[in-house]
Amino acid sequence: MDLQGFRALRTAAGDAALAAAADSDLSESGLLATAARLRARFPADLAAAALTQARLRERARAKFGADAARMFFTPAGLEQSTRAPVAAHRARRFAELPGRVLELGCGIGADLLARARAGTPGTGVERDELTAEVARANLDAFGVADLADVVTGDATHADPAGYGAVFADPGRRTARGRVFDPRSYEPPLDVVLELAGRVPAACVKVAPGIPHDAVPAGAEAEWISVGGDVKEAALWLGALAGPVARRATLLTGDGPGATLVPDPGLGEPEIRDFGRYLYEPDGAVIRAGLVAEVAALLGGGLVDPRIAYIAADEPRGTPFAAGYEVEDVLPFSLKRLRAELRRRGVGALTVKKRGSAVDVDRLRRDLGFARGGAKGGAAATVVLTRVGDAPFALIARPLPRPAAGPARTP
């Protein structure tokens, strides 16, 4: 889809083509028939653009929920865009500041849109002309074009003077795949930080794997998890930085979620034997280096100082860790584990691991379980880990995970 094709979607004929595509079979099996029906009603280029957009909106539901049906996307823009709950979470923090926000590299405008919907005015800068046009269309679609706008240009040449804050989302993907070195971001992280340093407050979106030593002095690093999966991290700077250096935030649905910050009074967590309960901290907690804080909440300790599994003797619910009731602890042996699962009549198996070199797919096959399949019968979770150099297999039952409470920002 080129710029001209996208602009055709913004006409009355484009609206009709989009509506027709949305009401059609967009599955792989129905795609050819859908394309033929659209071409019979609309010009070929418009039919193709509408079909592409309709399929992108279907994919976007995972990130944007019902809003996806009103939004516009490019394939790369959808891939790199911020999920709606994360953008809304950040927008609430920006809403506490006065002034206009300059966004460097706004993409399809997910963050720009979230801030505008929260009442914060802003300007997005986007180098790609088509992507910039898509961002403008998204602002129009939600009636906030009076609060936010998009200019086409190089973000590294943007002048932040006069803005109250800067938000930046440097590119972390190339033709070869994801980029993990902050110096290889586009633009590089140090360039973005220099621009952000010219305003009173800033936030920079970074990859969740960012090393702690790459976090600038005085910044607050926040790792964000959505539905149990770590999605991204953000560096809060200047007036937007809180009094803590690190935090883990868990988001569920559209709510504010829960947040965890360091406890300066805690030392290293104790090392102890397996207990009746085993807890796996959320990935955001692990990335933020807050495992000791979760261990303290659970009244437990680590079974190995290098592995983020927490053993405890009591069931204490926390949104910051998934819990399991341990039914058996076995020194790892394929033969013994297979026999034990058969004895229990296990037909549905979940395998988790941390600190284990075992290939999970191969283990499932060796145990007689097809990948992702279930044979009927009891369900069980096998947790593979080690203590020192000794491998273990734990047979366990998942505990209900409490919902996240309100996310407060100290």
Side-chain angles (χ1 to χ4, degrees):
M1 180 175 59
D2 58 14
L3 184 60
Q4 182 177 352
F6 177 74
R7 286 175 174 166
L9 288 178
R10 305 278 286 138
T11 64
D15 288 341
L18 282 170
D23 289 337
S24 302
D25 184 354
L26 299 176
S27 66
E28 291 295 334
S29 60
L31 197 57
L32 288 177
T34 293
R37 283 193 294 270
L38 289 174
R39 286 196 298 269
R41 292 184 55 189
F42 305 99
D45 289 348
L46 183 59
L51 184 56
T52 297
Q53 198 60 227
R55 297 193 76 199
L56 287 171
R57 286 175 170 178
E58 283 288 305
R59 286 172 47 198
R61 286 183 183 178
K63 280 190 171 184
F64 297 97
D67 283 348
R70 301 167 59 188
M71 296 179 69
F72 295 90
F73 303 95
T74 66
L78 173 57
E79 179 70 24
Q80 298 173 26
S81 61
T82 301
R83 288 175 176 265
V86 180
H89 166 71
R90 276 200 292 261
R92 286 189 285 270
R93 201 154 169 177
F94 272 98
E96 300 172 1
L97 294 177
R100 195 174 185 88
V101 177
L102 174 65
E103 180 166 345
L104 307 174
C106 69
I108 63 166
D111 279 280
L112 186 66
L113 174 62
R115 290 193 304 273
R117 294 175 78 179
T120 300
T123 295
V125 181
E126 173 54 48
R127 182 171 57 185
D128 181 73
E129 191 172 1
L130 171 59
T131 305
E133 191 79 359
V134 170
R136 295 185 192 102
N138 285 328
L139 296 174
D140 285 339
F142 289 86
V144 292
D146 59 331
L147 269 177
D149 64 327
V150 179
V151 298
T152 305
D154 188 334
T156 61
H157 297 154
D159 183 4
Y163 287 90
V166 159
F167 175 73
D169 181 6
R172 296 177 299 283
R173 183 181 291 276
T174 67
R176 296 188 299 275
R178 292 187 183 276
V179 170
F180 298 99
D181 184 350
R183 294 170 297 182
S184 299
Y185 289 178
E186 181 56 45
L189 181 58
D190 58 349
V191 173
V192 173
L193 291 175
E194 192 279 327
L195 287 169
R198 302 184 198 174
V199 292
C203 177
V204 180
K205 179 177 169 181
V206 294
I210 185 171
H212 284 206
D213 59 11
V215 176
E220 174 196 323
E222 180 182 34
W223 282 264
I224 301 175
S225 171
V226 180
D229 293 327
V230 186
K231 295 303 180 183
E232 62 183 67
L235 306 179
W236 297 95
L237 306 159
L240 280 170
V244 296
R246 295 168 284 124
R247 78 170 64 238
T249 297
L250 280 54
L251 301 177
T252 53
D254 296 327
T259 193
L260 185 69
V261 299
D263 182 344
L266 285 180
E268 294 296 321
E270 70 168 299
I271 307 302
R272 52 156 295 170
D273 294 332
F274 291 109
R276 183 176 178 184
Y277 298 94
L278 186 78
Y279 291 88
E280 181 181 19
D282 187 275
V285 169
I286 296 172
R287 294 282 193 181
L290 300 173
V291 173
E293 281 72 9
V294 174
L297 289 174
L298 296 168
L302 300 181
V303 296
D304 184 284
R306 296 163 294 179
I307 300 173
Y309 276 141
I310 298 168
D313 296 318
E314 299 177 4
R316 296 188 185 179
T318 174
F320 298 108
Y324 302 86
E325 183 174 5
V326 178
E327 298 179 348
D328 209 346
V329 179
L330 308 171
F332 180 75
S333 161
L334 177 62
K335 182 178 180 180
R336 184 175 177 183
L337 181 58
R338 184 194 295 119
E340 182 61 24
L341 294 176
R342 286 177 178 171
R343 185 187 71 80
R344 292 168 177 262
V346 173
L349 181 67
T350 299
V351 180
K352 301 184 69 66
K353 72 170 189 173
R354 190 174 293 278
S356 171
V358 172
D359 183 295
V360 171
D361 290 337
R362 180 174 179 178
L363 176 66
R364 291 181 61 86
R365 292 194 300 268
D366 291 343
L367 291 172
F369 293 86
R371 183 178 182 183
K375 302 181 293 186
T381 297
V382 169
V383 180
L384 305 176
T385 190
R386 60 179 170 80
V387 178
D389 294 327
F392 286 88
L394 285 67
I395 301 176
R397 179 175 58 85
L399 299 174
R401 192 164 179 175
R408 298 181 178 88
T409 305

